[in-house]
Amino acid sequence: MLLSIFIICVLLGSVVGFSAGLLGIGGGLIIVPALVYLLPQLGIEPNLVMPMALATSLATIVVTSLSAALAHHRNSNIPWPLAKQLMMAIALGSLLGAFIADMLSVVALKNTFAIAVFLLSSYMFITINRAKKNKLINNNDDEKLPQNIIVKCIGFFTGILASLMGIAGGAILVPILSYFKVPLRQCIGVATVSGMVVAIFGVSGYVIAGWGEENLPKYSLGYVYLPALLGIIITSSLFAPIGVKAASKLPVSTIKKAFAIFLMLVAVKMILS
């Protein structure tokens, strides 16, 4: 069973990496539901499944987001003045979110994830057409960027929620930044580099919170399950640059609509399960 789950995670990694490059989502919205289904097959206790899924998801995003961020940087898709403002607030929020998650019940974590995913996907679906109308801005066009205090609040909120959901934060940042008239491709670029920060600080919190936890399975580092982590990152970093290239050729708005509908269905299933 351990080998089967490892192989499934290798295949899952290819989907996660491609999605990270194409949509800037980091893959957590795919990884968490998959691990919630897979981990119980190993006999892992129900109260440990959700925090382990969240922690392992964030650990994979460290690698996936790094690969995607480098690719977006090479394609000049990251407005660094905006990204730098977000990074510190996101780091603090994601670290805090991991410790909040450790205090919540499994049911509360699952419902938080499902409800947040449903709301985010609904908002993503509604705002796609608005984002398509945004005009390209150059990286130094400060007049179109949110004010500094607003950026910090966005970053802190994104960090907490992303850490609680085990995601990179792209599904939160992309629609919010689109509202501030940041072009879609630059929204995705910022989401990838911010996702790397969320993942690093969030997974650190989960490792610390889970350290010494009884009944964790073998090959765990805090709440991070290493076999699933290894399986996913083997292929995710290879497919992220492919997703970035596809983003410049495929109708991203159409893909995001389909993905938003998929997320709604995932959220409903998690609430009802």
Side-chain angles (χ1 to χ4, degrees):
M1 183 59 69
L2 178 60
L3 179 60
S4 298
I5 288 179
F6 175 77
I7 293 172
I8 291 172
C9 286
V10 170
L11 298 175
L12 179 64
S14 62
V15 178
V16 167
F18 184 80
S19 300
L22 180 66
L23 303 173
I25 61 168
L29 294 173
I30 301 171
I31 295 171
V32 173
L35 292 182
V36 166
Y37 173 77
L38 291 172
L39 292 178
Q41 313 304 317
L42 294 171
I44 295 174
E45 295 186 3
N47 64 307
L48 298 176
V49 168
M50 196 66 189
M52 289 185 69
L54 296 172
T56 306
S57 172
L58 285 174
T60 65
I61 290 169
V62 174
V63 178
T64 306
S65 292
L66 174 60
S67 178
L70 290 173
H72 276 294
H73 176 68
R74 287 193 294 268
N75 285 276
S76 301
N77 288 340
I78 303 176
W80 284 106
L82 176 58
K84 289 177 181 177
Q85 291 180 66
L86 282 165
M87 289 168 74
M88 181 61 72
I90 283 176
L92 294 174
S94 58
L95 189 61
L96 176 61
F99 289 105
I100 293 174
D102 188 49
M103 295 184 290
L104 295 177
S105 69
V106 175
V107 173
L109 274 178
K110 184 188 74 170
N111 289 338
T112 297
F113 178 88
I115 293 170
V117 167
F118 186 84
L119 293 176
L120 288 171
S121 58
S122 300
Y123 185 71
M124 183 189 304
F125 187 85
I126 292 169
T127 58
I128 285 170
N129 290 331
R130 182 190 306 166
K132 287 175 63 179
K133 297 178 182 178
N134 290 343
K135 296 180 180 179
L136 289 173
I137 60 173
N138 89 34
N139 291 351
N140 295 319
D141 193 352
D142 293 333
E143 292 181 358
K144 292 190 178 182
L145 299 178
Q147 295 179 357
N148 188 48
I149 185 64
I150 297 176
V151 171
K152 285 182 169 56
C153 291
I154 291 171
F156 189 67
F157 168 78
T158 299
I160 292 176
L161 186 56
S163 190
L164 282 172
M165 296 173 65
I167 64 174
I172 305 168
L173 281 177
V174 170
I176 292 176
L177 294 180
S178 293
Y179 174 80
F180 286 103
K181 296 182 170 52
V182 178
L184 181 58
R185 298 198 199 288
Q186 292 192 8
C187 290
I188 295 172
V190 171
T192 56
V193 72
S194 298
M196 185 173 60
V197 175
V198 168
I200 291 171
F201 283 85
V203 78
S204 298
Y206 277 106
V207 169
I208 294 170
W211 199 265
E213 178 74 31
E214 295 183 1
N215 300 320
L216 283 172
K218 290 182 179 179
Y219 315 116
S220 296
L221 181 63
Y223 284 124
V224 178
Y225 188 54
L226 297 178
L229 168 63
L230 179 61
I232 293 170
I233 65 175
I234 284 175
T235 49
S236 64
S237 58
L238 298 177
F239 279 80
I242 298 175
V244 173
K245 290 181 181 179
S248 64
K249 299 177 181 179
L250 297 176
V252 176
S253 60
T254 301
I255 296 170
K256 289 180 76 67
K257 287 179 182 178
F259 187 72
I261 294 171
F262 168 75
L263 292 180
M264 292 178 190
L265 295 175
V266 169
V268 171
K269 179 174 175 56
M270 288 195 73
I271 291 175
L272 297 178
S273 66

